Amino acid sequence: MGKTQKKKNLSDKVRKTKTSTEVKNNPFEVKINKQKFNILGRKTKHDRGLPGVSRSKAIKKRRETLLQEYKQKDKSRAFIDKRFAEYDTRLAPEEKMMKRFALERQRTYEKKDIYNLNEDEELTHYGQSLADIEKLIDNPDSESDTEDKGILSAEFTAGAHFGGGGGLLRKKVSSEEQAHEEDEEKKPKSRKELIEDLIVKSKKEKYERQTQREKATELTLKLDNDWKEIQALLAHKTPKSERNNKEEAKSKQEDYDIIVRELGFEMKAKPSDRLKTEQELAKEERERLQKLEADRLRRMRGEDPENETCKKPDHISADDLNDGFILDKSDKQTLMYKDGKFMIEGEQCEDEELEAEDEEESENQEEDSNEEGDADSSDADEDIGGGGDSDDAENSEASDGSESEDNHSDLNSDSGNEGKEAVAKEKSEQKVKVKEQVLSEEEKKAMTEAAKSELPFTFPAPETLNDLKSLLVDYSAEKQCVIIERILKCNHPSLAAGNKVKLEKLFSFLFEYVGELATGQPPGFRCIDMMVPHLYNLCQMFPDSASSHIQSVLKNSTHKIDQMVETKGRGTLPGLETIVYLKITAALYPTSDFRHPVVTPALVHMSQIITKCSVGTLQDVATGLIICCLFLEYVSLSQRFVPEVINFLLGVLHLAVPNTENLGYTLVPPFRCSGRASELLLIKDKAALDSWEMKPVSLSAVIRVEEEDELGQNHFRLSCVALSLDLIKRCIVLYGSLPAFHEVMQPIRTLISQHLPMDQFPQQLQKLSQEVLKDIESKPRLYNGLVFEKKKPVPLKLYTPKIKEVLDFGRKRGGSRQERERMRLVHKHKREFKAAIREIRRDNQFLARHRLAETLNKDSERKRKVKDLFNSLSAQEGEWKSLKKKKLKG
């Protein structure tokens, strides 16, 4: 029974089918471009695509082209003949060589090779090669030397140049000499001996050439001298033109020589002393003041300054031989005859020194007397008078001495010794008298009293305001300024580390002290004026601390006004100390800056004063007007418009208006149209108008205005009105160039011309008001008002729009064939340009992938090699350790 056939299933059929069949198109790689609308009759080219296939083809193409170029980038396997016109048969060989040489020279002289020197060219200097000059090779001076230069003699060549056939050139000598020479020649010479012989021979030849050159020069000089002797015998007359030229050249040369000599004898500038720095000057000034203070204290104790300056004798031991002296100069004294008197040279010098000391003392006394105030003027006069009597006595003695000395003026030279002795005797008597005067008790007492009354020369820097007051309170204004000046000099910042902080505190103390002077009775305005320069110097030295202190003072004053306004609803005008602070601020800092850390807060504070503080008394009116004066002083350079000043001046003039109904202007707070203080400047007593005189309002009068009688108060009211009009004139000058000037001044103009009773005022006020009105009207208007045009404007021409019907939507069609062709080319160029950019981007990506793959391969290969090295090293180390263990066991 045979085997039954096994039934074949479907898998076997598939396995037996041909395996070489390939799928032509993978359905997953086909990309179908869907269309929104199916249009009949339009053929679609790109409805189906194979992006994977096209990508693989592009990569394959890049591997065959771009990758091969990348691999052969910096490699060259062929030699390219780049010689110029090598294969050009039209040019002759000579022409080729000339053009090649020209190209080579052109390449040498390019801009990049402008500083490269050509080594083939030989540089010369006066016909000599620079290379030879650097090698210190002497060039021959004559033609005879050039023949022998560099040529060795026949004997030298015969003996030194390998034999050189020298036997033929040698002279015949005797047999003994010849035998001796042969023996010497047979002996071999060392290299050192050969070089020494060569040097000796070269020196000998050089010496011979030098002697020949000297002989030639001697012969040349002898020939020149002989020619001069012969030339003198020859009769030769120079032409007239040559003689004139020689005379002109000679005159020019003489003029030049004269100028050179004058320049040589001119006075040359001498170097002056070096200018000293600020630190050195401050140190010298402090030392001078310390010295003067020490002298004053010594005089106050009744000590003799001359005895202090005298040197004390040194201690002399018993073994001292008294031989340690030095003769600096001879002790001989010469007798001099000066102004009809016999004088000795040493005594004359002493007299001059005494006179110089007297002059210095008198100058110091004058300075001290100038520094004292008016209160001590009588004492100073008495001191000056007492000094005058003593001076007269000394002058009388001196005159007597001079008369006695004049008796010797007619003596001959034989009586010189007698005159010398007389003069010496008189000088000794005068010195004794001077000593008696210096050491007298009365003079000591007078000197002590004068020293006590003098002002100390050194002062410590005050630590508090009370310390400053204790230093200044007992002195006049002039002495207070001197004290401040000496404090600044003794405590200059460059002299010690802590002086800077002390002087910064001094500025704050001095600023507060000035404010206290302003509030005193009476105010010390004179002392304040004298303190301002010292405040300015301190402000320049320490600007930061000074500005911060002034800012704090202004801030405190502003805070007080704000608190009054919050509590009472109105503020009060500040006192004189605030006005003085504002005035000093204008003197210390520039007021024309657009924004300043000190001046700007001061301006804000002043505007707050004249807008928030009520005006209820005459003192308030005067204070407000003074603030307005400061305002105008601040803005005098910048011409900044301040409306608060205009409003305040308008309100002050309104206080002098009797009828307050139907006003043509509007008042601004703190003024009101009606109220208790609305008629503050109104004058009811007609007698005060006749006795009033126009005078400036002083600060001291502001304080005393409430204490005066009715007549004085009326005069003060008129002065306030006059001051207001004067300030308005200053405002007109400042703001006359503003476009809105007439609108700003319109309320003031209406008040003066319509409401102010000028007929009841004095003639001076009437004249001042007329000047104000005239100045306002004289200013031109700088703009014209806006008005409607009289004629209706002509409308612009309107054109009918051009309408073009478009039938084929979506298609771009030009007007002509050329336009359509141009549009087609533009579209094609744009498409090709985008395609080129896309291909370049893909090429760069392909190269980047290839470089990354190379880098990764290199890194992996390196890691593999390192790993192999570590493995081999670990294996070696293991073997070595095992051998070591075996040795230890064995």
Side-chain angles (χ1 to χ4, degrees):
M1 190 173 148
K3 293 182 179 180
T4 59
Q5 285 186 350
K6 191 175 181 180
K7 190 177 180 180
K8 296 180 179 179
N9 54 10
L10 184 60
S11 61
D12 294 334
K13 290 182 181 179
V14 173
R15 193 183 301 113
K16 288 182 180 181
T17 56
K18 189 177 181 181
T19 58
S20 62
T21 58
E22 297 179 358
V23 179
K24 291 184 178 181
N25 293 326
N26 189 355
F28 295 100
E29 293 182 354
V30 178
K31 183 181 179 181
I32 299 172
N33 297 323
K34 294 182 179 180
Q35 295 182 356
K36 294 181 179 180
F37 306 103
N38 292 324
I39 301 171
L40 295 175
R42 177 180 291 180
K43 294 180 181 180
T44 57
K45 298 180 181 179
H46 305 290
D47 55 348
R48 292 173 179 270
L50 300 172
V53 176
S54 60
R55 188 181 299 110
S56 62
K57 288 181 180 179
I59 292 171
K60 184 180 179 181
K61 187 176 181 181
R62 287 190 180 91
R63 284 176 183 168
E64 293 175 357
T65 57
L66 185 62
L67 185 60
Q68 299 302 324
E69 291 179 2
Y70 175 74
K71 289 180 180 180
Q72 297 177 2
K73 183 179 178 182
D74 295 325
K75 298 178 182 179
S76 59
R77 299 179 182 176
F79 293 99
I80 301 172
D81 192 358
K82 295 183 180 180
R83 290 178 293 176
F84 179 77
E86 177 63 23
Y87 302 102
D88 192 358
T89 56
R90 293 174 296 178
L91 294 176
E94 292 80 4
E95 293 180 358
K96 293 180 182 179
M97 295 297 292
M98 290 296 293
K99 289 190 176 182
R100 289 174 185 175
F101 180 72
L103 288 173
E104 185 178 358
R105 299 286 291 188
Q106 185 178 0
R107 198 180 304 113
T108 304
Y109 287 102
E110 286 182 355
K111 187 175 182 181
K112 62 182 179 180
D113 298 331
I114 191 170
Y115 298 108
N116 294 342
L117 297 175
N118 191 1
E119 296 179 357
D120 298 338
E121 294 182 356
E122 184 179 2
L123 302 177
T124 60
H125 178 67
Y126 286 103
Q128 299 179 7
S129 175
L130 290 178
D132 295 343
I133 292 172
E134 291 176 356
K135 293 176 183 179
L136 301 176
I137 297 175
D138 296 333
N139 286 333
D141 294 336
S142 60
E143 296 178 357
S144 61
D145 294 336
T146 57
E147 296 176 358
D148 299 335
K149 184 68 176 177
I151 301 174
L152 299 177
S153 62
E155 296 178 358
F156 180 76
T157 54
H161 289 179
F162 309 103
L168 300 174
L169 299 173
R170 292 176 184 170
K171 296 180 180 180
K172 293 182 179 181
V173 294
S174 62
S175 60
E176 295 178 357
E177 292 177 355
Q178 187 174 2
H180 182 68
E181 289 177 359
E182 288 177 357
D183 293 338
E184 289 181 354
E185 288 177 358
K186 288 179 181 179
K187 294 180 181 179
K189 291 185 177 180
S190 63
R191 178 176 179 81
K192 184 177 180 181
E193 292 176 354
L194 290 173
I195 292 172
E196 288 177 354
D197 294 341
L198 183 63
I199 291 170
V200 169
K201 289 181 180 180
S202 64
K203 286 184 177 180
K204 184 178 179 182
E205 290 179 357
K206 188 176 181 181
Y207 176 74
E208 289 176 356
R209 287 198 303 271
Q210 187 175 359
T211 53
Q212 289 178 3
R213 195 181 300 114
E214 289 177 355
K215 289 179 181 179
T217 53
E218 289 177 359
L219 291 173
T220 306
L221 292 173
K222 186 177 180 183
L223 286 173
D224 292 341
N225 294 331
D226 294 341
W227 168 248
K228 288 180 181 178
E229 293 176 358
I230 296 170
Q231 189 179 12
L233 300 175
L234 297 175
H236 178 69
K237 189 176 182 181
T238 56
K240 189 175 182 180
S241 59
E242 293 182 3
R243 280 182 287 174
N244 295 333
N245 293 334
K246 287 182 180 179
E247 290 177 358
E248 291 178 359
K250 188 176 181 181
S251 63
K252 291 180 180 178
Q253 190 174 3
E254 289 177 354
D255 296 339
Y256 176 76
D257 294 338
I258 290 168
I259 294 170
V260 169
R261 292 192 191 96
E262 288 178 356
L263 291 174
F265 286 108
E266 279 185 355
M267 292 293 292
K268 296 181 180 179
K270 296 181 180 180
S272 60
D273 295 335
R274 179 180 64 85
L275 293 177
K276 296 181 180 180
T277 60
E278 185 179 356
Q279 291 80 6
E280 293 175 352
L281 293 174
K283 187 176 180 181
E284 290 181 359
E285 187 66 20
R286 186 184 67 169
E287 291 175 355
R288 186 182 71 84
L289 292 176
Q290 288 177 353
K291 184 179 179 182
L292 292 174
E293 178 64 14
D295 294 340
R296 188 188 70 83
L297 295 175
R298 194 181 301 114
R299 291 195 304 271
M300 190 172 65
R301 291 192 298 268
E303 298 175 0
D304 190 6
E306 293 184 0
N307 295 335
E308 295 291 333
T309 56
C310 293
K311 293 182 180 179
K312 295 181 180 180
D314 297 334
H315 174 70
I316 300 174
S317 64
D319 299 331
D320 192 4
L321 297 177
N322 223 1
D323 57 352
F325 60 89
I326 300 173
L327 294 175
D328 293 336
K329 58 182 180 179
S330 61
D331 298 334
K332 295 181 180 180
Q333 296 180 353
T334 57
L335 186 65
M336 299 174 62
Y337 187 76
K338 182 178 180 181
D339 297 335
K341 294 183 284 187
F342 285 103
M343 301 292 291
I344 300 172
E345 185 177 2
E347 293 178 357
Q348 183 187 7
C349 296
E350 291 177 1
D351 295 340
E352 290 177 356
E353 290 176 359
L354 288 172
E355 290 176 0
E357 290 176 359
D358 294 339
E359 289 177 359
E360 289 179 359
E361 290 179 359
S362 62
E363 288 177 359
N364 293 332
Q365 289 177 2
E366 288 176 0
E367 289 179 359
D368 296 338
S369 62
N370 292 331
E371 290 171 357
E372 293 177 356
D374 298 334
D376 300 333
S377 61
S378 61
D379 299 335
D381 294 336
E382 290 174 3
D383 295 338
I384 293 167
D389 296 337
S390 61
D391 293 338
D392 294 338
E394 291 177 359
N395 293 332
S396 63
E397 291 176 1
S399 62
D400 296 336
S402 63
E403 289 175 1
S404 63
E405 289 173 0
D406 289 337
N407 297 329
H408 302 282
S409 61
D410 300 327
L411 292 177
N412 297 325
S413 61
D414 297 333
S415 61
N417 295 329
E418 297 177 0
K420 182 178 179 181
E421 293 175 358
V423 171
K425 187 176 180 180
E426 290 176 1
K427 291 292 180 181
S428 62
E429 291 177 358
Q430 289 180 2
K431 288 180 181 178
V432 171
K433 291 179 181 180
V434 170
K435 288 182 179 180
E436 290 176 357
Q437 290 176 1
V438 169
L439 298 176
S440 63
E441 295 295 333
E442 295 178 357
E443 290 291 335
K444 284 185 178 181
K445 290 181 181 179
M447 182 176 62
T448 304
E449 292 176 358
K452 288 181 179 179
S453 63
E454 285 181 4
L455 196 65
F457 290 94
T458 57
F459 291 92
E463 296 294 334
T464 59
L465 180 60
N466 295 327
D467 294 343
L468 181 63
K469 289 180 183 178
S470 63
L471 290 175
L472 303 177
V473 70
D474 295 332
Y475 296 102
S476 61
E478 290 81 2
K479 286 191 175 182
Q480 290 182 16
C481 292
V482 173
I483 291 170
I484 296 298
E485 183 178 357
R486 289 180 180 177
I487 289 173
L488 293 176
K489 290 179 180 178
C490 295
N491 299 277
H492 196 271
S494 62
L495 300 177
N499 288 348
K500 182 179 179 182
V501 180
K502 293 179 181 179
L503 293 183
E504 288 178 355
K505 292 180 180 179
L506 179 63
F507 177 84
S508 59
F509 299 154
L510 194 59
F511 198 75
E512 294 178 7
Y513 179 71
V514 165
E516 291 186 2
L517 288 176
T519 56
Q521 294 295 335
F525 293 122
R526 183 165 173 269
C527 186
I528 291 172
D529 291 338
M530 300 178 73
M531 291 292 178
V532 169
H534 300 300
L535 286 171
Y536 180 79
N537 292 333
L538 288 170
C539 182
Q540 294 298 316
M541 292 170 67
F542 314 107
D544 296 335
S545 61
S547 60
S548 61
H549 179 72
I550 296 175
Q551 285 174 356
S552 64
V553 171
L554 296 175
K555 186 177 181 181
N556 293 335
S557 181
T558 306
H559 186 61
K560 289 179 182 178
I561 295 175
D562 291 337
Q563 284 183 345
M564 288 183 185
V565 172
E566 289 178 1
T567 56
K568 298 181 181 180
R570 57 185 178 83
T572 57
L573 287 164
L576 283 179
E577 68 277 6
T578 304
I579 297 174
V580 170
Y581 289 154
L582 294 172
K583 179 67 176 177
I584 292 174
T585 303
L588 297 181
Y589 297 101
T591 57
S592 60
D593 294 353
F594 181 76
R595 187 178 290 105
H596 194 273
V598 179
V599 176
T600 303
L603 289 170
V604 173
H605 182 54
M606 287 191 291
S607 64
Q608 185 186 28
I609 290 171
I610 60 177
T611 53
K612 293 184 178 181
C613 297
S614 61
V615 179
T617 61
L618 291 176
Q619 187 175 354
D620 295 341
V621 174
T623 305
L625 290 175
I626 292 170
I627 296 294
C628 292
C629 291
L630 289 175
F631 244 129
L632 296 179
E633 183 181 350
Y634 271 67
V635 300
S636 59
L637 293 176
S638 61
Q639 295 185 355
R640 189 177 299 170
F641 178 62
V642 185
E644 292 88 350
V645 175
I646 304 296
N647 294 329
F648 191 85
L649 294 176
L650 178 65
V652 170
L653 291 178
H654 175 75
L655 298 179
V657 174
N659 188 9
T660 58
E661 296 179 358
N662 299 325
L663 299 176
Y665 52 87
T666 304
L667 291 177
V668 179
F671 298 98
R672 297 177 182 177
C673 296
S674 61
R676 182 174 58 85
S678 60
E679 297 179 355
L680 192 60
L681 297 181
L682 194 62
I683 299 172
K684 299 178 181 179
D685 188 7
K686 306 300 180 183
L689 302 175
D690 299 333
S691 60
W692 177 77
E693 293 181 1
M694 184 180 290
K695 294 180 181 179
V697 179
S698 62
L699 291 176
S700 58
V702 173
I703 303 172
R704 300 191 305 266
V705 65
E706 301 295 338
E707 301 174 0
E708 294 183 358
D709 55 357
E710 186 66 25
L711 181 62
Q713 291 184 359
N714 288 331
H715 287 173
F716 190 78
R717 290 186 179 95
L718 293 172
S719 298
C720 290
V721 174
L723 181 59
S724 302
L725 293 173
D726 187 46
L727 291 176
I728 290 171
K729 285 186 67 176
R730 291 175 61 183
C731 292
I732 291 169
V733 175
L734 276 178
Y735 307 134
S737 60
L738 292 177
F741 171 75
H742 287 277
E743 283 71 16
V744 170
M745 292 295 174
Q746 182 63 33
I748 295 176
R749 180 180 174 184
T750 304
L751 188 147
I752 295 174
S753 59
Q754 298 179 9
H755 300 282
L756 200 64
M758 299 308 300
D759 298 337
Q760 301 177 5
F761 286 160
Q763 190 68 27
Q764 296 175 346
L765 279 178
Q766 294 180 12
K767 184 178 179 182
L768 187 60
S769 62
Q770 291 175 1
E771 290 177 358
V772 170
L773 292 174
K774 186 177 180 181
D775 291 342
I776 293 173
E777 293 174 356
S778 62
K779 296 294 180 181
R781 289 185 176 271
L782 301 177
Y783 67 93
N784 295 323
L786 295 176
V787 295
F788 290 103
E789 294 185 5
K790 295 181 180 180
K791 295 182 180 179
K792 188 177 180 181
V794 179
L796 296 175
K797 293 182 179 180
L798 299 177
Y799 296 96
T800 305
K802 184 179 180 181
I803 298 171
K804 183 179 180 181
E805 296 181 359
V806 179
L807 299 177
D808 298 335
F809 293 99
R811 291 189 179 183
K812 298 179 181 179
R813 295 194 177 187
S816 60
R817 184 177 179 182
Q818 289 83 4
E819 185 67 20
R820 289 195 299 273
E821 185 68 19
R822 190 185 70 81
M823 293 296 293
R824 187 181 66 80
L825 292 175
V826 168
H827 179 67
K828 187 176 180 180
H829 171 266
K830 187 175 180 181
R831 185 176 59 201
E832 294 294 333
F833 184 75
K834 288 182 179 180
I837 292 174
R838 184 169 58 251
E839 290 297 323
I840 291 170
R841 191 183 298 115
R842 290 174 180 173
D843 291 344
N844 292 332
Q845 293 173 357
F846 174 77
L847 291 176
R849 286 195 298 271
H850 182 72
R851 292 193 193 99
L852 180 62
E854 286 182 349
T855 305
L856 293 175
N857 292 333
K858 288 179 182 178
D859 292 344
S860 61
E861 184 68 20
R862 181 176 174 276
K863 288 180 181 179
R864 185 186 63 77
K865 290 180 180 180
V866 170
K867 190 175 181 181
D868 293 343
L869 286 173
F870 274 111
N871 292 333
S872 62
L873 290 173
S874 61
Q876 289 180 6
E877 189 175 3
E879 292 176 358
W880 179 75
K881 286 183 178 180
S882 62
L883 290 173
K884 191 175 181 181
K885 287 180 180 179
K886 288 179 181 180
K887 288 180 180 180
L888 291 173
K889 289 179 180 180

